Amino acid sequence: MFDLAVDGMGGDGAPDIVIKGLAITAERHPRARILLIGDEALLGPMLARSRRAASICTLRHAGNAISMDAKPTLALRVRNSSMRLAMDAVAAREARGVVSAGNSGAMLALAKVVVKTMPGIDRPALAALSPSARGDVVMLDLGANVVCDWRNLVEFAVMGEAFARTVLGLPQPTIGLLNVGAEQLKGDERVRQAADVLRSSPLAAQFRGFVEGHDITAGTTDVVVTDGFTGNIALKTGEGAMRLVGEMLKQVFSASAASKLGYILARPGLERMREWLNPARYNGAVLVGLNGVVVKSHGGADAEGFAHAVDVAMDMVTHGFNERIREGLQRIDLQAGHAATSAVAPIAAAG
């Protein structure tokens, strides 16, 4: 069985970035077995020029590629695309996971239809790592599900906890539900009901209750759980804030001769900060809750970023990510949440 099936044609810089990224993967995971899928006429010569990438890859031809602006319905109809064949390899248990930098909507649609949702999971979620003052934080859902109920949020908590244990190596990751306040009566019914279920579950010792937006960057909990609408806005707001800080620092350190001198003195620290906040370190969003590992690399990622997405996928298949989710679901009685509905207090005002 292959460790991963890789879509060789997905992303803005494909296939060049994919091959360069897999060359980095070969250094980090020399025993990896990768099924590389795409246009053989393009990928074959590129692999011949990259011994490192070729050492871990088996090439399979795909006659088509899904464009970055294609509608998901089109992706479902094109059965010989590189993305579809990569998903097929996972569904057929020929590979344990898939990595693609291609069209996000197409990837989500194909994952749901081809790889399919894991038994016991209502909806898959999009999870990723985000920087914080205390280290990396797992966030989910980041856009796969705009509307969620309490059961979805509980499932996201189980999957996020398994993600943190697998990728971050945390033995007992803490969990928080993103809300408009930390008080127990804050938020809407679904958030409060999910909190009630988690407080009475085997994850109770790890559950820290409600967290607010500032807690994400503070690293108050290792896992932050929310619906896809709120999570996507929080993620993009954080990305925009990091870009703003970068631009402001450029302006400050170029304003005068004295500030330029200050930059020279502060440069070692600024270089460490840039490395810490490097987007490549956080590339690799994971569709969790499927019958296989599905990792989405950013479409504009460079070779290092793509290699990081492959790192995430390799960690998950190596450390039995899906098995940990199954174990977590077996420990939580979601039916108990139905009994709590009548006990949930009226919606409290934000504050």
Side-chain angles (χ1 to χ4, degrees):
M1 178 184 284
F2 291 98
D3 295 308
L4 300 172
V6 172
D7 173 10
M9 311 306 293
D12 299 334
D16 181 62
I17 291 302
V18 174
I19 298 297
K20 290 179 179 177
L22 289 175
I24 298 172
T25 296
E27 291 183 346
R28 297 173 179 170
H29 309 277
R31 296 188 178 182
R33 296 187 66 233
I34 305 294
L35 177 62
L36 178 62
I37 302 175
D39 187 341
E40 192 171 11
L42 288 174
L43 293 174
M46 296 178 76
L47 279 178
R49 294 192 296 269
S50 178
R51 283 188 181 181
R52 285 182 298 176
S55 69
I56 61 171
C57 289
T58 297
L59 181 58
R60 178 172 296 171
H61 179 67
N64 285 290
I66 301 299
S67 67
M68 296 299 281
D69 59 353
K71 293 182 179 180
T73 50
L74 174 63
L76 293 172
R77 292 198 301 269
V78 180
R79 294 185 174 272
N80 65 338
S81 70
S82 55
M83 186 185 291
R84 174 61 183 259
L85 293 181
M87 296 287 182
D88 285 342
V90 176
R93 298 183 184 277
E94 192 179 4
R96 293 193 286 173
V98 58
V99 179
S100 175
N103 183 312
S104 298
M107 194 169 178
L108 178 60
L110 283 171
K112 287 182 177 180
V113 171
V114 178
V115 180
K116 294 185 171 56
T117 305
M118 182 186 300
I121 295 291
D122 184 42
R123 299 179 187 178
L126 193 63
L129 298 177
S130 180
S132 84
R134 292 179 57 247
D136 293 341
V137 171
V138 176
M139 288 187 64
L140 75 168
D141 180 25
L142 296 177
N145 305 281
V146 174
V147 179
C148 300
D149 60 19
W150 67 267
R151 178 191 174 107
N152 301 138
L153 295 175
V154 173
E155 290 175 354
F156 296 168
V158 172
M159 295 188 288
E161 194 266 355
F163 189 114
R165 282 194 287 148
T166 302
V167 177
L168 299 180
L170 301 175
Q172 291 265 301
T174 55
I175 304 163
L177 277 172
L178 192 60
N179 201 353
V180 295
E183 299 86 351
Q184 289 192 23
L185 294 180
K186 289 292 179 69
D188 59 24
E189 181 176 324
R190 68 199 171 89
V191 175
R192 285 180 283 123
Q193 189 170 352
D196 287 342
V197 173
L198 288 169
R199 288 190 190 100
S200 61
S201 77
L203 292 176
Q206 296 161 250
F207 182 55
R208 298 292 184 266
F210 297 137
V211 294
E212 299 180 67
H214 60 80
D215 289 305
I216 300 172
T217 50
T220 303
T221 58
D222 302 310
V223 180
V224 177
V225 177
T226 186
D227 60 81
F229 182 87
T230 306
N232 191 269
I233 291 174
L235 174 70
K236 290 178 179 176
T237 300
E239 291 174 345
M242 284 196 292
R243 285 194 294 270
L244 174 63
V245 170
E247 289 300 318
M248 292 177 72
L249 285 173
K250 286 181 183 178
Q251 293 177 23
V252 168
F253 285 117
S254 62
S256 65
S259 60
K260 289 176 182 178
L261 176 61
Y263 169 75
I264 294 173
L265 296 174
R267 185 172 180 176
L270 292 172
E271 289 294 331
R272 286 197 298 272
M273 185 179 75
R274 185 170 66 177
E275 182 179 349
W276 180 37
L277 298 177
N278 183 1
R281 288 189 63 237
Y282 300 97
N283 187 44
V286 183
L287 278 167
V288 294
L290 298 164
N291 287 314
V293 170
V294 179
V295 175
K296 170 70 176 73
S297 171
H298 193 285
D302 60 11
E304 183 66 35
F306 190 84
H308 189 272
V310 177
D311 287 342
V312 171
M314 287 295 296
D315 282 343
M316 299 181 88
V317 300
T318 301
H319 296 102
F321 173 66
N322 279 1
E323 288 72 17
R324 294 189 177 192
I325 290 179
R326 292 188 187 97
E327 292 170 3
L329 288 173
Q330 289 171 0
R331 294 164 58 207
I332 292 184
D333 180 13
L334 290 175
Q335 296 302 317
H338 291 291
T341 306
S342 60
V344 176
I347 297 176

